[in-house]
Amino acid sequence: MDTPAAWKQAQTTGMLQAEQGESLNPMAVAPDGSSVIAASQRDGRATLVWLRDQGRKRTTVYTDDNDGKGGLGLADFDGRWLVFNVLASNDVGSKWELFAWDSQAGGAPKSIAKTQIDANGNAVPGPFLIPWVNNGKATWVQGVSDGTKNQKLTDVQRQVHLYDLASTTDKIVHTGHMAPSFFAGDTVVWPEAFAIDTPTKLTAGTGQGAPGGLPAALAAADGSPASASDGTTWAWTGVGHKNLYAWRAGWPAPVMVVEGAPIDWVHVAGDVITWTDSTATWAADLRGRAYTQMTPQYGGTNTHGTAVVVSYPGPDKRSVSYVFTSAGLTPLSCPQ
């Protein structure tokens, strides 16, 4: 459906203001949408910046000095704590380092984790590093070396980390064969394969790192290549990244939100679910079971809480970005 006027107005009022000659690429957003973490690119140099007031106020967090080798990876931000990773090279399986930064205290970011190195001096393979942070805790998954020089990829164990950012304590929640972990509210969730070449099963732990459970309805998400949650609403794709499904507390069963379309990079922000395909970025509103196109061409989103930050390449190839909160939007209607 066409984008409603209220949604278009939210895009306009939430537009991030870049400086002269700068391209801003959002990496994370505060849960209330009041600030954004972005990579500022200008004259071939990248810096990580904390933006407030649509970019009119900014704080430089980190400067990338790798001269185009590796550089900034992914990030997440809970409104106070930022966690981001830096890659050592542009190679697949690059070594990485994970940093944390307290926006209240300021100062330089602090290293909290690094790639494990095997007996040959190479990075231990693991899933693509995707850090998450919520209420002062961070989670990620990384591979573990067994100390030998001939460790087979199928034998590489992975660990789910739960890191308390205030106390700087790291807890290994689980070891096995899993994809990246994420927060669903205060619950730590990860897709895990309990045998080689078998579908993954969504598995959970509490915010304290103890084993946890998930609602029975989420068994429908087992084997999904992409899943996400804000703690109340869950969304996932079908096999082969086809179809988009959703479930939230109180619903008797999952529902299909989008049928037949390719779905990737799913995010949840309250009543809104966002995703990308090869043509554009889209958003579905669960209140009216409708969806609409959010960018004129291929782009992406990041979410946290009810906040969404959207970005896409503009006419001059610099990123165009805007922030909105799902709580303040008129419901979409007239499903496609």
Side-chain angles (χ1 to χ4, degrees):
M1 63 172 292
D2 292 335
T3 306
W7 285 55
K8 291 181 178 179
Q9 180 62 32
Q11 296 176 17
T12 301
T13 58
M15 195 70 66
L16 295 182
Q17 304 298 315
E19 295 181 345
Q20 183 69 33
E22 176 188 48
S23 182
L24 283 174
N25 299 300
M27 298 177 66
V29 61
D32 62 358
S34 62
S35 62
V36 170
I37 302 296
S40 167
Q41 296 180 325
R42 182 164 33 197
D43 300 325
R45 188 178 182 86
T47 57
L48 193 63
V49 293
W50 178 36
L51 305 174
R52 287 90 70 205
D53 190 21
Q54 273 70 58
R56 298 177 185 88
K57 298 178 181 178
R58 59 176 59 199
T59 300
T60 298
V61 177
Y62 177 87
T63 300
D64 175 25
D65 293 319
N66 284 349
D67 296 325
K69 298 178 181 178
L72 297 171
L74 297 179
D76 198 27
F77 184 53
D78 69 0
R80 174 181 174 179
W81 291 97
L82 165 67
V83 175
F84 64 97
N85 69 302
V86 176
L87 304 175
S89 74
N90 299 323
D91 299 332
V92 175
S94 166
K95 296 177 183 177
W96 52 261
E97 188 167 7
L98 194 62
F99 292 89
W101 181 71
D102 183 354
S103 64
Q104 289 186 8
K110 297 179 181 179
S111 176
I112 62 173
K114 293 182 180 181
T115 320
Q116 286 208 13
I117 305 302
D118 65 19
N120 294 315
N122 300 316
V124 175
F128 190 68
L129 184 65
I130 305 179
W132 293 80
V133 59
N134 185 67
N135 289 336
K137 293 186 177 181
T139 186
W140 68 93
V141 170
Q142 66 181 97
V144 186
S145 173
D146 65 2
T148 68
K149 291 187 177 182
N150 299 308
Q151 187 175 10
K152 296 181 180 179
L153 181 60
T154 54
D155 293 334
V156 173
Q157 293 287 297
R158 297 171 175 181
Q159 293 176 333
V160 180
H161 289 253
L162 183 63
Y163 190 97
D164 189 301
L165 293 158
S167 65
T168 67
T169 55
D170 188 17
K171 181 172 185 177
I172 306 302
V173 174
H174 187 70
T175 301
H177 294 278
M178 69 280 294
S181 55
F182 60 92
F183 280 114
D186 291 325
T187 301
V188 184
V189 182
W190 61 91
E192 181 171 0
F194 291 93
I196 299 298
D197 296 327
T198 60
T200 59
K201 178 179 176 59
L202 283 184
T203 311
T206 68
Q208 291 71 44
L214 292 170
L218 293 179
D222 289 344
S224 169
S227 54
S229 175
D230 64 356
T232 300
T233 301
W234 296 74
W236 62 91
T237 65
V239 176
H241 291 275
K242 296 286 186 179
N243 306 331
L244 177 66
Y245 302 90
W247 179 83
R248 65 192 338 175
W251 287 8
V255 300
M256 183 181 291
V257 180
V258 179
E259 183 176 6
I263 308 290
D264 204 1
W265 287 104
V266 178
H267 292 87
V268 177
D271 293 312
V272 171
I273 301 172
T274 65
W275 71 95
T276 63
D277 62 19
S278 60
T279 62
T281 295
W282 304 79
D285 189 333
L286 295 179
R287 295 169 295 181
R289 304 286 172 86
Y291 64 95
T292 188
Q293 188 171 330
M294 299 298 290
T295 62
Q297 56 185 312
Y298 182 81
T301 65
N302 285 285
T303 66
H304 207 130
T306 61
V308 182
V309 59
V310 183
S311 62
Y312 60 92
D316 61 358
K317 299 189 183 301
R318 291 195 178 101
S319 179
V320 176
S321 309
Y322 62 90
V323 182
F324 67 92
T325 58
S326 61
L329 290 175
T330 302
L332 291 175
S333 58
C334 301
Q336 293 190 354

